[in-house]
């Protein structure tokens, strides 16, 4: 285990080694860390790990999932890996061990109706008990031990986020404009129809421009229905973002559609992106029908 009295090099790259018995929440922890920006690798054979660390420049944090399902797993081999990573001055290793009571592990594993890796032809309880005993030396070396017996998946996610991203997980928002002529984009969480707003297409001087132009935006905003509509959309998004974060959502996609996907929908997407960015929100934007055109 790391000596807590020894300060860690602030330039060291964080490495979280996630382990523990099946059913304790290891997969959930790996997924949360990946959402927090860690490069996640699960069930990598132990013999390949030293080469990965040496070959990888490690410019971003890494989360490694290792447990008894690994083909060449053994407690001694995993302890050697922990010693190897701990000795690296350029790495900041945390051994995260997810644990739970025996009865809880058995119930969770039974719910999956899968064979236990340590008892493929036997009762799952046999595998659970074997794995608990097998993992004891690793449990003793853990820097952080989380007992998930009384946690649901949302509570576990929140605990991981609190420990590895003290400021809270950033929920990424992607905004998109589109034309209804080409259909609604796939995998969108929310769609707003802007076709009720006045259309700059019918103004000859604005027809060849798009919603990134100040003149087009000004024209759309002159519609008396624009501001009440936009204010309600902005209020709705601001209301939902904290709720989605609490539920563990890592990405929210919002689309605005109009007839041609050039003027009104682009104006709404651009304006919402600006306001959310000023709120400190992480925002990306794509104008589907303007793809390949000039960028401003």
């Amino acid at each position: 285990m790391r000596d807590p009295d020894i300060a860690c090099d602030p330039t060291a790259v964080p490495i979280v080694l996630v382990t523990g018995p099946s059913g304790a929440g290891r997969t959930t922890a790996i997924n949360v860390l990946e959402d927090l920006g860690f490069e996640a690798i699960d069930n990598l054979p132990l013999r390949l790990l030293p080469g990965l660390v040496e070959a990888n420049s490690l410019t971003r944090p890494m989360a490694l999932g290792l447990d008894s399902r690994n083909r060449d797993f053994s407690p001694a081999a995993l302890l050697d890996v922990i010693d190897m990573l701990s000795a690296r001055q350029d790495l900041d290793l945390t051994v995260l061990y997810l644990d739970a009571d025996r009865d809880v592990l058995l119930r969770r594993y039974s719910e999956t109706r899968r064979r236990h890796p340590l008892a493929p032809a036997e009762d799952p309880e046999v595998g659970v008990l074997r794995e608990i005993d097998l993992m004891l030396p690793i449990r003793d070396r853990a820097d952080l031990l989380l007992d998930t017996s009384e946690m649901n998946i949302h509570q576990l996610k929140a605990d991981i986020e609190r420990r590895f991203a003290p400021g809270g997980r950033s929920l990424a928002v992607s905004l998109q404009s589109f034309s209804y002529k080409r259909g609604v984009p796939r995998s969108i969480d929310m769609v707003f129809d802007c076709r009720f707003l006045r259309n700059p297409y019918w103004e000859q001087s604005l027809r060849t421009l798009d919603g990134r132009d100040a003149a087009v935006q000004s024209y759309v905003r002159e519609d008396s229905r624009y501001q009440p509509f936009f204010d309600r959309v902005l209020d709705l998004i601001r209301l939902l973002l904290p709720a989605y974060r609490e539920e563990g959502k890592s990405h929210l996609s919002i689309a605005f559609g109009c007839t041609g996907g050039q003027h009104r929908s682009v104006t709404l997407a651009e304006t919402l992106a600006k306001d959310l960015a000023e709120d400190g929100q992480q925002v990306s934007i794509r104008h589907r029908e303007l793809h390949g055109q000039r960028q401003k």
Side-chain angles (χ1 to χ4, degrees), residues 55-252:
N56 197 328
S57 58
L58 295 184
T59 57
R60 56 184 289 201
M62 179 175 287
L64 301 172
L66 299 169
D67 65 12
S68 63
R69 294 177 300 162
N70 289 73
R71 181 179 302 176
D72 56 351
F73 177 86
S74 74
L78 184 50
L79 290 173
D80 288 343
V81 165
I82 292 173
D83 290 339
M84 181 270 293
L85 295 176
S86 299
R88 292 275 298 268
Q89 298 299 313
D90 58 331
L91 303 179
D92 178 16
L93 176 66
T94 298
V95 179
L96 170 61
Y97 192 96
L98 283 301
D99 202 3
D101 294 339
R102 181 187 67 179
D103 292 342
V104 173
L105 292 174
L106 180 59
R107 174 175 53 80
R108 290 175 181 172
Y109 210 91
S110 297
E111 289 172 353
T112 67
R113 298 187 177 181
R114 298 178 60 193
R115 297 178 179 179
H116 196 284
L118 296 187
E122 301 172 88
D123 188 281
E125 183 175 8
V126 176
V128 168
L129 295 176
R130 284 177 182 167
E131 191 171 34
I132 290 174
D133 290 339
L134 183 69
M135 299 296 290
L136 279 177
I138 312 302
R139 188 181 190 277
D140 292 340
R141 286 288 300 272
D143 298 302
L144 179 58
L145 176 63
L146 291 184
D147 189 327
T148 68
S149 301
E150 303 297 328
M151 292 184 183
N152 60 38
I153 189 169
H154 301 296
Q155 292 168 331
L156 176 56
K157 287 180 177 179
D159 202 337
I160 297 293
E161 290 170 11
R162 178 176 62 82
R163 295 173 186 274
F164 292 94
R169 175 165 62 176
S170 174
L171 188 153
V173 176
S174 65
L175 302 178
Q176 185 172 164
S177 65
F178 70 93
S179 165
Y180 275 99
K181 293 178 180 179
R182 293 185 54 202
V184 178
R186 296 181 178 180
S187 302
I188 296 296
D189 296 307
M190 296 183 189
V191 177
F192 295 97
D193 188 344
C194 307
R195 289 175 293 184
F196 66 91
L197 296 171
R198 65 192 305 208
N199 192 350
Y201 177 83
W202 302 114
E203 284 291 326
Q204 192 64 38
S205 63
L206 302 177
R207 179 170 294 185
T208 59
L209 303 178
D210 62 61
R212 296 171 294 184
D213 290 272
V216 172
Q217 293 183 3
S218 178
Y219 183 90
V220 175
R221 289 169 182 159
E222 287 174 2
D223 189 319
S224 61
R225 297 163 295 188
Y226 170 85
Q227 199 61 51
F229 172 68
F230 178 79
D231 289 345
R232 284 166 174 76
V233 170
L234 180 59
D235 287 344
L236 175 64
I237 302 306
R238 284 173 170 166
L239 171 68
L240 293 177
L241 285 176
Y244 282 134
R245 287 193 190 95
E246 291 175 8
E247 279 299 302
K249 191 174 179 64
S250 61
H251 181 264
L252 178 66

Side-chain angles (χ1 to χ4, degrees), residues 242-293:
Y244 282 134
R245 287 193 190 95
E246 291 175 8
E247 279 299 302
K249 191 174 179 64
S250 61
H251 181 264
L252 178 66
S253 56
I254 304 167
F256 293 93
C258 62
T259 305
Q262 179 178 338
H263 298 107
R264 294 166 289 180
S265 60
V266 175
T267 295
L268 266 297
E270 288 283 333
T271 307
L272 182 60
K274 180 176 179 295
D275 282 15
L276 292 179
E278 289 176 353
D279 288 347
Q281 183 62 50
Q282 178 186 347
V283 183
S284 64
I285 189 166
R286 176 176 183 261
H287 302 301
R288 189 180 73 178
E289 318 312 340
L290 304 183
H291 184 68
Q293 296 187 25

Side-chain angles (χ1 to χ4, degrees), residues 44-51 71-72:
L44 181 75
L46 291 177
R47 67 180 183 280
L48 299 181
L49 198 148
R71 181 179 302 176
D72 56 351

Side-chain angles (χ1 to χ4, degrees), residues 30-43:
I30 285 283
N31 292 338
V32 174
L33 289 169
E34 185 172 25
D35 287 342
L36 292 175
F38 285 72
E39 179 181 359
I41 302 177
D42 199 9
N43 286 326

